[in-house]
């Protein structure tokens, strides 16, 4: 991580969803701020000149759903390795879920987590706090205290609050904070120990299934509570066609609901699950092809507002257990852009596509909108849209390697990430090119 | 070929001889007149010696047939490393199991002494889930072939101390075990283990969760083939808890490939979704499934399914799905019934049907189980 004293990015495509603006131009950074943008800026002596011909520059991406672990699970990930992985994916802000070990359900542990963030993180980490103590779905946490301490939102992600009276109280009480609740919506009784989507694949492999209806049922009843309380509510990692349809209708009805989906749910379906590969076990599970298509359609028509990774690191040992018994989830920060762009970039166009990673999550979470405008923080990602590359998790920054995308070839790669003026990630080939050209011109 | 077979038959005849001699000695002791009996002893000894020769020759020819069957089959098995399920067995592999198992069964029936065809092999069993018959059956099969057998006592093993099953297998591998017979409650455990171990060891799946139990399916196939010959076109009904049954899945995969028409029947709550896509005709009522069937395979119903809310009561289950002589009348007159065991008599199968020797193949299945497992072990491990 090096502080950029001064930097001039020349001949890049500036893509700024906050202004619905994209144009070929230059961007000048001094210290931690974007000081100038425009066409044909002239180079100054005290700055690095980077020829960015063919590159895109986008405001730093936001990931609304990550598991940064740390605390008692540093063997899976810590706030340094996790944020390094985020930086490699072009993210300068990540939302960290509260199901840490122990969970972030009280002022003391929350303060300790914030301290770890200050000491270890290389990009912004905004932690979520639990809705209920111990995520047991019974008693509310001190939401106001946690909000004042800096909780960005509240969520018992990983489990669903099963008792609707408890969730109702949470939705009422959270109004004192002005924050929103993020829901992992899946009826726990219906799930009954299921490990993959219930369907032909679970039948064939003899695995207990999680029915798609479990998600739709939870979404439907939670929407009724939103209707009742009018509290802002966010559904994370939608995976089924029915849930998308319910949320589409709720938005039409004017309910304050938003939603995100993961890169894996828009790129893989149950058909991908072969031979008990534990890297294809996630929660919610991969669903059928028609569900996958519904997620994509939801992202295109705006029913789903954002893409979030649900980055869920687990050690090799965790994932080498038996399929039915091992923990759920995959890492996703370093591949999020590449996977999502393959499925969506052509359909959405650049501005709408990057909105899913920038202004949309910012609006949902009430954060300043990432922008490339003059005087904005110098937080942005440089992307080489033509770069063909093969993903190797062994070369990644996450402490864990649990991904089904190992050895997958992608087009388009984040090659440099700058966070508040700090170069927090740089692709080696890009660095080589920058230094060669820089020396030549300097 | 002759020499080892004589050596092995010697064991049995020596035992007989010793027994007869003891009886004679007792008689002698009673009469206290040794002279009178000495010629008689010689006479009996002579008779035994001639019987021994006849027995040895018959036994040797059975062994020879067994070995010949193996030699015919081994070409089909040369590339096979593991037996994980029935879905990837080639017709050649399947035919050679039948071939070798047929000869193995003759050896078992005759009560021949254990062979020594696998005397250089070490086989371990690791049953992480309770089993009596499958484990005993494998154990007998391995001993009958002369293999060294190691039974991992899971209850007192390091698994209880927190070792992963992969480490347990690697430990066995390092000790020189050539084959591992594994049962585990997690579906896919055999396949995952095979992926870890690669070609360093032969893995035989003795049951993984709800997924597969290939030797059970093979012995069922063998048993039905003995009765009917080819199963092509046969109607086979599988009745009971299909959702949780590895026996059902392995049988479906095998029997559909053999051209059998497989019909299933079970409560909707115990029938997994989209089962029909496995190539079977799914019924919720038992009658259409067994109507005109050649074979009816009854699955075990776990009594805890009631507590899980999957069936309202054992009584209702019995009323709707129990296979008994009355229901068997819907099937073909010559139809036979199978059960993988252990049975809940008078729950999924009536006591009288289970005991009916004309209808029930259940005890044959058990005998055939040893023969089929001998065939599998020999074909995988033989030289």
């Amino acid at each position: 991580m090096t502080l950029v004293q001064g930097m001039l990015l020349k001949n890049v495509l500036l893509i700024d969803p906050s202004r619905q603006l994209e144009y070929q131009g230059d961007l000048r950074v001094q210290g931690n701020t974007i000081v100038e943008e425009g066409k044909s800026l002239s180079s100054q002596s005290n700055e690095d000149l980077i020829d960015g011909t063919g590159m895109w520059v986008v405001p730093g991406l936001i990931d609304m759903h990550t598991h940064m672990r740390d605390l008692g699970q540093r063997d899976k990930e810590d706030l340094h390795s996790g944020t390094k992985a985020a930086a490699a994916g072009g993210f300068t802000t990540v939302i960290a879920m509260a199901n840490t070990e122990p969970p972030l359900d009280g002022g003391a542990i929350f303060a300790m987590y914030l301290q770890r963030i200050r000491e270890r993180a290389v990009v912004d980490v905004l932690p979520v706090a639990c809705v209920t103590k111990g995520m047991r779905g019974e008693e509310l946490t001190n939401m106001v205290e946690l909000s004042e301490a800096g909780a960005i939102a509240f969520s018992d992600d990983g489990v669903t609050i099963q008792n609707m009276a408890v969730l109702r109280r949470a939705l009422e009480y959270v109004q004192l904070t002005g924050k929103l609740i993020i829901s992992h919506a899946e009826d726990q009784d219906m799930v009954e120990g299921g490990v993959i989507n219930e369907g032909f694949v679970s039948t064939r492999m003899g695995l207990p299934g999680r029915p798609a209806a479990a998600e739709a049922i939870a979404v439907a009843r939670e929407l009724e509570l939103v209707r009742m309380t009018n509290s802002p509510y966010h559904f994370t990692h939608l995976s089924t066609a029915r849930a998308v349809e319910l949320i589409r209708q709720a938005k039409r009805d004017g309910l304050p609901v938003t939603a995100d989906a993961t890169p894996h749910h828009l790129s893989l379906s149950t058909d991908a699950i072969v031979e008990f590969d534990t890297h294809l076990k996630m929660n919610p599970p991969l669903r059928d092809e028609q569900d996958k298509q519904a997620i994509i359609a939801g992202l295109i028509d705006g029913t789903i507002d954002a893409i979030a990774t649900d980055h869920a690191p687990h050690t090799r040992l965790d994932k080498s257990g038996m399929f039915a018994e091992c923990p759920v989830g995959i890492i996703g920060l370093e591949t999020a852009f590449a996977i999502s762009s393959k499925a969506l970039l052509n359909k959405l166009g650049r501005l709408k596509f990057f909105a899913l990673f920038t202004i949309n999550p910012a609006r949902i979470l009430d954060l300043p909108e990432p922008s490339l405008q003059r005087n904005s923080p110098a937080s942005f990602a440089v992307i080489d849209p033509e770069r063909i590359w093969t993903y190797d998790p062994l070369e990644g920054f996450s402490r864990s390697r649990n991904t089904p995308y190992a050895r997958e070839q992608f087009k388009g790669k984040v090659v440099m990430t700058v966070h508040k003026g700090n170069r927090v990630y740089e692709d080696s080939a890009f660095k080589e090119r920058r230094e060669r050209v820089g020396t030549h011109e300097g | 070929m002759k020499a080892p077979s004589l050596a092995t038959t010697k064991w049995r005849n020596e035992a007989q001889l010793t027994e007869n001699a003891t009886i004679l000695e007792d008689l002698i002791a009673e009469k206290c007149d040794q002279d009178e009996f000495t010629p008689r002893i010689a006479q009996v000894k002579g008779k035994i010696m001639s019987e021994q020769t006849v027995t040895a020759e018959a036994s040797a020819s059975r062994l020879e047939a067994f070995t010949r069957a193996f030699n015919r089959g081994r070409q089909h098995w040369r590339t096979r490393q593991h037996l994980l399920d029935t879905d990837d067995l080639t017709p050649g592999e399947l035919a050679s199991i039948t071939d070798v198992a047929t000869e193995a069964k003759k050896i078992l029936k005759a009560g021949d002494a254990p062979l020594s065809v696998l005397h250089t092999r070490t086989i371990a069993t690791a049953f992480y889930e309770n089993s009596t018959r499958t484990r005993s059956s494998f154990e007998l099969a391995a001993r009958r072939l002369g293999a060294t057998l190691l039974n991992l006592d899971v209850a007192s093993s390091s698994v209880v101390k927190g070792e992963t099953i992969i480490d347990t297998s690697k430990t066995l591998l390092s000790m020189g075990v050539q084959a591992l017979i594994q049962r585990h409650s997690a579906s896919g455990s055999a396949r995952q283990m095979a992926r870890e171990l690669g070609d360093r060891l032969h893995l035989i799946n003795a049951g993984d969760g709800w997924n597969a139990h290939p030797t059970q399916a093979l012995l069922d196939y063998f048993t039905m083939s003995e009765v009917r010959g080819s199963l092509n076109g046969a109607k086979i009904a599988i009745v009971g808890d299909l959702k949780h049954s590895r026996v059902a899945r392995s049988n479906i995969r095998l029997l559909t490939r053999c051209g059998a028409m497989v019909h299933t029947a079970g409560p909707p709550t115990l029938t997994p979704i989209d089962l029909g896509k496995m190539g079977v005709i799914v019924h919720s009522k038992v009658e259409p499934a067994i109507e005109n069937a050649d074979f009816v395979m009854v699955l075990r119903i776990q009594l805890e399914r009631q507590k899980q809310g999957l069936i309202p009561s054992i009584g209702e289950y019995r009323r709707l799905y129990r296979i008994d002589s009355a229901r068997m009348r819907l099937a073909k007159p010559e139809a036979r019934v199978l059960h993988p065991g252990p049975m809940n008599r008078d729950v999924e199968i009536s006591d009288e049907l289970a005991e009916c020797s004309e209808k029930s193949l259940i005890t044959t299945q058990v005998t055939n189980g040893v023969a089929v497992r001998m065939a599998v072990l020999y074909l995988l491990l033989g030289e």
Side-chain angles (χ1 to χ4, degrees), chain A residues 293-404:
Chain A
Q293 294 304 334
I295 299 293
I296 292 173
L299 283 157
I300 290 170
D301 76 6
T303 302
I304 303 173
D305 306 88
I307 292 177
T309 62
D310 195 7
H311 177 81
H314 292 292
T315 63
R316 189 197 65 83
L317 183 63
D318 292 334
K319 280 289 192 180
S320 68
M322 296 301 113
F323 191 99
E325 296 164 355
C326 76
V328 291
I330 62 169
I331 58 170
L333 287 162
E334 292 166 72
T335 48
F337 163 71
I339 295 166
S340 310
S341 71
K342 196 173 179 176
L344 284 170
L345 190 58
N346 288 338
K347 293 184 178 118
L348 281 174
R350 287 183 290 260
L351 284 168
K352 273 189 161 176
F353 175 80
F354 285 108
L356 297 170
F357 291 98
T358 55
I359 55 170
N360 293 4
R363 284 171 189 165
I364 293 166
L365 295 161
D366 202 18
L367 295 169
E369 289 184 11
S371 171
L372 299 175
Q373 256 188 108
R374 187 163 176 267
N375 292 332
S376 300
S379 295
F380 56 85
V382 180
I383 290 166
D384 181 346
E386 297 302 319
R387 174 80 159 273
I388 307 287
W389 62 290
T390 304
Y391 176 49
D392 180 0
L394 295 173
E395 289 176 5
F397 291 89
S398 172
R399 187 158 289 176
S400 293
R401 320 274 184 234
N402 51 309
T403 167

Side-chain angles (χ1 to χ4, degrees), chain A residues 230-306:
Chain A
N230 207 36
S231 295
Y233 203 64
H234 180 81
F235 291 98
T236 191
H237 51 46
L238 288 188
S239 66
T240 63
R242 277 299 300 149
V244 175
E245 188 48 42
L246 286 164
I247 288 163
R248 183 174 288 129
Q249 185 57 47
K251 284 190 164 186
R252 271 190 216 127
D253 294 352
L255 299 189
V257 290
T258 50
D260 69 62
T262 70
H264 45 276
H265 286 110
L266 59 91
S267 62
L268 295 172
S269 64
T270 40
D271 304 333
I273 303 173
V274 285
E275 302 301 300
F276 301 95
D277 180 350
T278 57
H279 290 152
L280 290 156
K281 182 180 177 186
M282 42 282 248
N283 180 13
L286 297 178
R287 304 287 189 185
D288 290 341
E289 179 64 26
Q290 53 114 358
D291 293 305
K292 184 183 107 179
Q293 294 304 334
I295 299 293
I296 292 173
L299 283 157
I300 290 170
D301 76 6
T303 302
I304 303 173
D305 306 88

Side-chain angles (χ1 to χ4, degrees), chain A residues 192 198-200 202-209 274-278 316-317 319-325, chain B residues 164-166 184-189 191-193 195-196 208 210-211 249 253 272-275 277-278 308:
Chain A
E192 264 190 319
E198 184 173 323
F200 176 57
S202 66
T203 292
R204 181 169 56 78
M205 301 206 299
L207 288 169
V274 285
E275 302 301 300
F276 301 95
D277 180 350
T278 57
R316 189 197 65 83
L317 183 63
K319 280 289 192 180
S320 68
M322 296 301 113
F323 191 99
E325 296 164 355
Chain B
T164 68
I165 66 164
I166 288 167
H184 192 277
S185 61
S187 296
S189 49
R191 208 164 286 272
Q192 285 184 258
M193 182 65 72
R195 207 155 44 212
E196 284 291 328
D208 63 318
W210 307 346
N211 179 44
R249 284 183 179 79
R253 290 177 191 125
I273 192 165
D274 286 342
L275 182 63
K277 287 190 190 167
M278 289 186 79
Q308 294 166 339

Side-chain angles (χ1 to χ4, degrees), chain B residues 302-346:
Chain B
Q302 305 279 353
L303 302 179
E304 69 254 28
R305 301 297 171 223
Q306 189 206 335
K307 286 196 196 95
Q308 294 166 339
L310 292 164
I311 50 170
S313 68
I314 292 297
E316 176 135 315
Y317 183 84
R318 180 190 292 135
R319 192 165 71 78
L320 295 177
Y321 297 101
R322 186 183 71 177
I323 303 299
D324 51 28
S325 296
R327 287 209 159 108
M328 282 302 282
R329 279 195 277 279
L330 293 168
K332 283 191 182 153
E334 70 275 21
R336 311 294 287 271
V337 64
L338 297 93
H339 191 298
M343 282 182 282
N344 296 303
R345 280 174 189 261
D346 276 341

